Amino acid sequence: MIAIPPPTGPLPGLGAPENPAASTGSFRERLQDLPPEVAAELVRVGTRRPWRRGQMVVRQGAHSHAIVVALQGRLSVTLGSPDGRSTLMRWLDEGEVLGLADVLAGLPSPVSVQAQGPATTLQVERDAFVQVLRQHPEGAIGIAVLLSRRVADLFRYIEMTSARPLADRVAYALQRLARSQGQPDNEGHLRLKVTQADLAMAANASRQRVHLVLQRLQAEGHIRLGYGTVTLLTTDL
């Protein structure tokens, strides 16, 4: 993940935050940022691209030959299975890098990324990305850390979704999605803008079964359900 540096002047589709440190703080909770000079160089050599709701930014199994950096908007990451089902993994954070498997190893994308509304990404072609890393070797260390964390996340995902009861899968889906998109409310709880259909997709179960689990979690005081939202009241689900 990279922290997009504030530009010297307004750039199309990206406003300079009043407090850059505050805007990138959530990134550091999960993944180490690339050095600022590397981020600035990627912004310089990359191309911004707007997306509409429903457009596919990255398609699972395809080659893009470019890294994709999420700049604005909600972008879902889904994993398709051979039987045609899709599992919602999470939503991309602003500044998060995708497409490293293709650019660095020549492998097809392991996931699909789709715009859930108006969104903007930064596309950096493979040759330009590799050149930036050659000019800034410290950036390669940041990429190594990023990939290491993703491998750890992958093993955690496998462990939590293989032969686990539905209640465990729903709790893990809530924690996984809240980690990238949860916003603190006035009481200090994490509020997640998510539908029960999204959670069913994330837990790989029917909406009806997920609804029953959510009702039980609410009755036990773990969550609070709202219209299109779920608020996590405890960290112990």
Side-chain angles (χ1 to χ4, degrees):
M1 179 177 304
I2 68 172
I4 303 300
T8 55
L11 290 174
L14 182 66
E18 295 180 2
N19 184 351
S23 68
T24 61
S26 62
F27 301 165
R28 298 190 180 94
E29 291 175 6
R30 296 197 303 115
L31 300 173
Q32 178 179 339
D33 295 342
L34 294 178
E37 59 273 17
V38 178
E41 188 65 12
L42 291 178
V43 170
R44 187 185 71 80
V45 302
T47 302
R48 284 175 173 75
R49 181 169 178 182
W51 302 91
R52 298 188 305 274
R53 178 181 176 85
Q55 284 189 304
M56 197 68 72
V57 179
V58 176
R59 193 175 298 275
Q60 184 175 338
H63 290 275
S64 63
H65 308 294
I67 67 163
V68 177
V69 183
L71 293 184
Q72 291 179 327
R74 189 174 239 196
L75 297 162
S76 64
V77 181
T78 58
L79 179 65
S81 62
D83 61 5
R85 292 182 299 173
S86 292
T87 300
L88 175 64
M89 304 293 290
R90 57 192 178 83
W91 296 291
L92 290 179
D93 284 336
E94 292 181 0
E96 189 165 352
V97 179
L98 204 69
L100 294 170
D102 188 353
V103 167
L104 297 180
L107 299 173
S109 175
V111 295
S112 292
V113 177
Q114 188 176 32
Q116 300 301 306
T120 305
T121 61
L122 181 75
Q123 318 285 115
V124 183
E125 296 298 322
R126 179 187 184 280
D127 290 346
F129 179 68
V130 172
Q131 184 61 27
V132 169
L133 293 185
R134 284 175 175 164
Q135 294 172 348
H136 303 276
E138 66 277 13
I141 297 176
I143 294 297
V145 172
L146 187 155
L147 291 174
S148 298
R149 290 178 184 267
R150 286 188 181 170
V151 169
D153 285 345
L154 175 61
F155 279 110
R156 174 65 172 164
Y157 172 79
I158 293 172
E159 191 269 331
M160 289 300 299
T161 57
S162 299
R164 283 275 187 160
L166 178 58
D168 288 353
R169 302 205 309 269
V170 171
Y172 177 59
L174 284 169
Q175 293 169 341
R176 191 171 75 236
L177 297 177
R179 187 174 61 176
S180 63
Q181 292 291 321
Q183 296 293 327
D185 62 12
N186 295 332
E187 300 174 335
H189 301 132
L190 274 182
R191 183 173 179 270
L192 179 62
K193 186 178 180 182
V194 63
T195 66
Q196 293 191 19
D198 288 334
L199 286 173
M201 188 178 178
N204 201 14
S206 70
R207 187 164 61 177
Q208 291 77 13
R209 294 179 64 206
V210 168
H211 173 76
L212 294 176
V213 173
L214 293 174
Q215 290 293 329
R216 180 173 63 79
L217 288 174
Q218 180 170 244
E220 293 174 352
H222 294 297
I223 64 173
R224 181 169 61 239
L225 300 175
Y227 182 73
T229 65
V230 178
T231 301
L232 276 62
L233 304 179
T234 67
T235 57
D236 182 17
L237 299 181

